[in-house]
Amino acid sequence: FFKKEIFNLNSSKIKNLISSKLNLKIKLNNKKSEPELKEKKSNFVQTIDFIGIHYSEHSLTIAHIKRTGNKTIIIDNVKIKIKTDLIGDFKVENLEEVKRIIEDVIEVFGLQDPPTILLLGSSYFTAKTFKDSELVVFSKKDPTLLKKSPFLPLNTSIEYQRVSGDKLSSYHIVVYAEKIAIDSWLNVLMLLNNPVVALTCGPINLVDKVSQMSNQIFSYLCDIEDSSTTIYIQKKNCGLTSIKLPYGTSLYKSSDKKIQNQYFYRLRDSINKIMEKNTTFEKENIYITGIGLDNLTNGDIRPIEGFERLSNSSMNYELHKENSSKENFLNKSIFESFSILVDEAIS
């Protein structure tokens, strides 16, 4: 299905970082011959250290991730509250200072030139799907595409993937982002000068996992943040749509589970209204994830009526024994996304 490892990494500098430094097999339309790929595999190092960077809602999480054999281990991580003069709501305002913060953490972790995964929150991205008939000739400058962008045309970055579709049509999945914000993070990656694995959105990758786990036609994943919620709806081989809700968990943070549950009642009501407006969506299991969810429940893995927690379904990473404090259970959704991208990078 739609592979989202790289978002808009088209600059020659970024491509050089990927091709010249990263001793991994990365899905970048690689045109190397089979003998060359086999030679790379024969020289493959079984233990690889990665740096995972996640930014959302003024919170920067940096993790040391080790891949040993088939195991992905979160060795260590730090979470930093970022001032708005460094990073605004979306755009990096002070490139040098943000780069310095990340480099300082990498040095504390004892790493040198680690392959880097950069995840940005769902609020950065909007996903829509178009039928072939809607786009006679695909172009990123197509007025049909740009009209659907939540940003001004000149400030729109577009990435897309054509999928096989159904008997009626093939489809184009289009992911929009604000160009000035994405470019600012690309500049941070270039200043770091480390190998780049991905600049992407974790939940867009996680919804693929939900689809793979399910035999249903439709898959639903809610990415819950403090100030907003994004619902991803994926139809197998036919498309991906994201719907943003203007509320998150910030108003519902409490040790009282009755207050916490008010958020989930509100979310369930919003989903029911979406279903009523779009009768093509079929009611299936609804998975939830996100840092807002982790913070709301304070790491509690209790069941939530009407929803399935993605982290309860399949945790594909381990916490290092010295890094298994309760605080790190508040980062489960981030670690899950890092782990999936590590798996895809070396598969």
Side-chain angles (χ1 to χ4, degrees), residues 239-251:
L240 175 67
T241 299
S242 65
I243 300 169
K244 286 183 170 59
L245 304 177
Y247 61 86
T249 56
S250 58
L251 296 177

Side-chain angles (χ1 to χ4, degrees), residues 89-142:
D89 288 338
F90 301 102
K91 180 190 170 191
V92 181
E93 302 291 348
N94 189 328
L95 296 171
E96 287 292 341
E97 184 64 16
V98 172
K99 171 213 167 196
R100 186 191 64 77
I101 291 170
I102 296 170
E103 284 183 334
D104 286 350
V105 175
I106 290 173
E107 184 177 353
V108 169
F109 288 162
L111 302 177
Q112 186 173 6
D113 295 334
T116 301
I117 299 167
L118 174 57
L119 299 180
L120 300 175
S122 285
S123 51
Y124 276 83
F125 304 94
T126 300
K128 295 184 182 295
T129 298
F130 298 84
K131 293 181 182 178
D132 265 357
S133 58
E134 295 177 89
L135 304 170
V136 179
V137 177
F138 190 93
S139 167
K140 292 184 179 183
K141 297 180 180 179
D142 189 325

Side-chain angles (χ1 to χ4, degrees), residues 27-44:
K27 298 164 187 173
L28 290 173
N29 298 321
N30 199 326
K31 296 182 180 178
K32 287 184 170 65
S33 65
E34 283 299 316
E36 287 177 297
L37 290 177
K38 286 179 181 176
E39 185 180 350
K40 263 187 176 283
K41 283 187 177 182
S42 67
N43 295 326
F44 185 75

Side-chain angles (χ1 to χ4, degrees), residues 44-61:
F44 185 75
V45 179
Q46 287 297 319
T47 298
I48 305 171
D49 291 288
F50 295 82
I51 278 292
I53 302 168
H54 177 275
Y55 181 78
S56 178
E57 297 182 331
H58 305 291
S59 181
L60 182 70
T61 301

Side-chain angles (χ1 to χ4, degrees), residues 192-204:
L192 286 171
N193 201 35
N194 291 337
V196 178
V197 178
L199 188 169
T200 187
C201 174
I204 295 182

